[in-house]
Amino acid sequence: MKIHEYQAKQIFARYGIPVPKGEPAFSVAEAEAAAQRLIEATGIPVVVVKAQIHAGGRGKGGGVKVAKGGVAEARALAEKILGMQLITVQTGPAGQKVRRLYIEQGLDIDREIYLALTLDRDRRRIAVMASREGGMDIEQVAHDTPEKIHTLHVDPVIGLAPYQARKLAFALGLGAKEQMRQFTKLLDGLYKCFLAEDCSLVEVNPLVVTKKGDIVALDGKMTFDDNAEIRHPEWANLRDADEEDPVELEAKQVGISYVSLDGDIGCLVNGAGLAMGTMDIILHYGGKPANFLDVGGGATQEQVKKAFQMILRSDKVKGIFVNIFGGIMRCDVVAAGIVAATKELGLSVPLVVRLEGTNVEAGRKILDESGLKIESASSMGDGAQKIVAAVKPGAAA
Ligand code: ADP
Ligand code: MG
């Protein structure tokens, strides 16, 4: 789960990480009032109006603007940015509608640094990555000049060792006494934040050194590890449903794992492993899955129905492949769920079903008697070939 920059900064502040003063705003009037308060508090008539969407690259896309002309200019910028369809390298071509703003004190920036904490799954450790080349596209830096990215791994038993933080500070050119103190304190706070908030990513790009020499987190991106949701009731309030895929959200509410993908073959599968295998075999035969959907082992007929309806309602789906191996899951429950779903929404695309395992005969009987136009498959490979052929006639070899 992702959160907005302003939410990440509010959390940063709780860990003693310096952030600029700022206020979220949901309307132009709120933005104007926030700008007024900030200018009064800082005594400097410079504020930054920042679009709040769950994607980076906002600056280049026109979603971050500095107002040097005080409240009036801030208001004009808020009018322009709020409601705009912001397109960045991370939003995809359709962009994302801006519904929230962050009005922030403008800082005099001397240097922009990149700093991030993430989980390195290969090393099974939290990795701290940093570069002097901050503020810009870090993927580009990693690609063109990987030597400019410094990485350290944290021993989970020892934690972030002071010598590691100092070494990184030197690499970033922050070796002078006061900056070293500020940087190591900040990094320590970020590490504690990463652990306690159950993050999978904390990215500060840029971390800035101001003209006065202070180190401040100017941007904040935070992604939580969804597996830890049970420990964080407060996440419910941080969630912004407008930024999430509506179908994925619905799936979550029903208790099924669903991820939208780019292709056109809808898949209903039980078990994450089988679901991944199904996606692979569809690709193998030249098709493209429209989703990853694992109804799980103990799904009820109602859950299967809801899951199947999600696939049916998607207009990108040109064909459906149901691949069930009934272990704990009973084939008749799946069949009944599918039939119930189509009773309400109809079935206008080809459907291939491969059903094996517990109560398979009962399941097949339900499907046979439903009158639905179903092509049955004798194996996973057979089913994948059939659905690919049905969606793209002539494509399957
Ligand atoms: P994004 O990464 O989505 O483009 P950032 O928050 O990193 O958004 O802002 C983009 C750039 O805008 C920063 O690299 C910085 O140069 C400038 N900027 C952002 N916030 C401020 C601020 N409070 N004061 C001065 N400049 C800022
Ligand atoms: Mg940024």
Side-chain angles (χ1 to χ4, degrees), residues 227-368:
N227 294 306
E229 194 174 2
I230 194 143
R231 287 205 283 248
H232 298 277
E234 78 280 8
W235 286 359
N237 294 325
L238 294 172
R239 189 178 287 282
D240 182 355
D242 288 331
E243 297 282 335
E244 293 182 25
D245 182 305
V247 185
E248 285 180 19
L249 213 61
E250 186 187 341
K252 198 172 146 36
Q253 279 153 5
V254 187
I256 26 193
S257 311
Y258 182 102
V259 181
S260 287
L261 300 168
D262 297 333
D264 51 13
I265 297 175
C267 308
L268 183 122
V269 188
N270 68 317
L274 189 59
M276 285 193 275
T278 304
M279 286 168 28
D280 282 348
I281 203 154
I282 287 173
L283 283 166
H284 178 73
Y285 285 113
K288 275 188 106 183
N291 65 278
F292 167 98
L293 199 169
D294 168 18
V295 287
T300 62
Q301 183 184 321
E302 188 58 24
Q303 280 173 309
V304 174
K305 177 182 154 190
K306 285 259 166 65
F308 202 71
Q309 285 183 334
M310 275 176 215
I311 299 176
L312 288 174
R313 277 203 300 266
S314 162
D315 29 314
K316 66 182 174 193
V317 169
K318 303 283 179 279
I320 302 172
F321 181 26
V322 173
N323 186 16
I324 299 289
F325 186 85
I328 304 169
M329 188 75 201
R330 285 166 29 210
C331 291
D332 54 324
V333 171
V334 175
I338 292 172
V339 173
T342 54
K343 275 215 175 93
E344 282 173 31
L345 295 180
L347 177 69
S348 55
V349 294
L351 170 62
V352 174
V353 178
R354 180 255 179 166
L355 214 53
E356 286 301 340
T358 311
N359 288 6
V360 63
E361 291 311 326
R364 290 207 180 118
K365 189 155 175 278
I366 292 170
L367 292 178
D368 286 345

Side-chain angles (χ1 to χ4, degrees), residues 5 50 56-59 64 135-136 203-206 218-221:
E5 173 200 2
K50 307 181 81 172
R58 296 162 302 160
V64 177
M136 51 203 287
E203 189 185 62
V204 182
N205 186 26
L218 203 69
D219 193 4
K221 199 186 243 184

Side-chain angles (χ1 to χ4, degrees), residues 39-110:
I39 291 170
E40 273 165 24
T42 59
I44 301 164
V46 183
V47 295
V48 184
V49 180
K50 307 181 81 172
Q52 297 297 291
I53 58 169
H54 284 187
R58 296 162 302 160
K60 280 190 190 140
V64 177
K65 295 274 185 204
V66 183
K68 293 194 171 121
V71 178
E73 192 186 346
R75 185 191 160 90
L77 287 174
E79 261 165 9
K80 211 167 121 198
I81 297 175
L82 198 65
M84 83 186 273
Q85 198 69 21
L86 182 54
I87 302 167
T88 82
V89 285
Q90 293 183 9
T91 57
Q96 178 69 26
K97 187 173 172 153
V98 180
R99 295 180 169 89
R100 305 178 186 196
L101 296 174
Y102 192 46
I103 312 299
E104 191 173 69
Q105 159 192 21
L107 294 187
D108 256 342
I109 301 168
D110 183 30

Side-chain angles (χ1 to χ4, degrees), residues 107-165:
L107 294 187
D108 256 342
I109 301 168
D110 183 30
R111 289 179 53 203
E112 301 199 345
I113 289 165
Y114 177 89
L115 179 63
L117 276 72
T118 187
L119 188 68
D120 183 335
R121 288 171 197 276
D122 290 338
R123 298 269 203 120
R124 291 181 241 162
R125 288 184 179 200
I126 292 169
V128 180
M129 294 163 70
S131 173
R132 291 180 190 228
E133 309 289 321
M136 51 203 287
D137 192 0
I138 197 67
E139 282 83 6
Q140 199 65 40
V141 178
H143 181 265
D144 299 344
T145 47
E147 70 282 359
K148 288 188 175 169
I149 296 182
H150 309 277
T151 306
L152 68 84
H153 291 91
V154 183
D155 186 314
V157 177
I158 298 168
L160 181 71
Y163 83 87
Q164 290 183 302

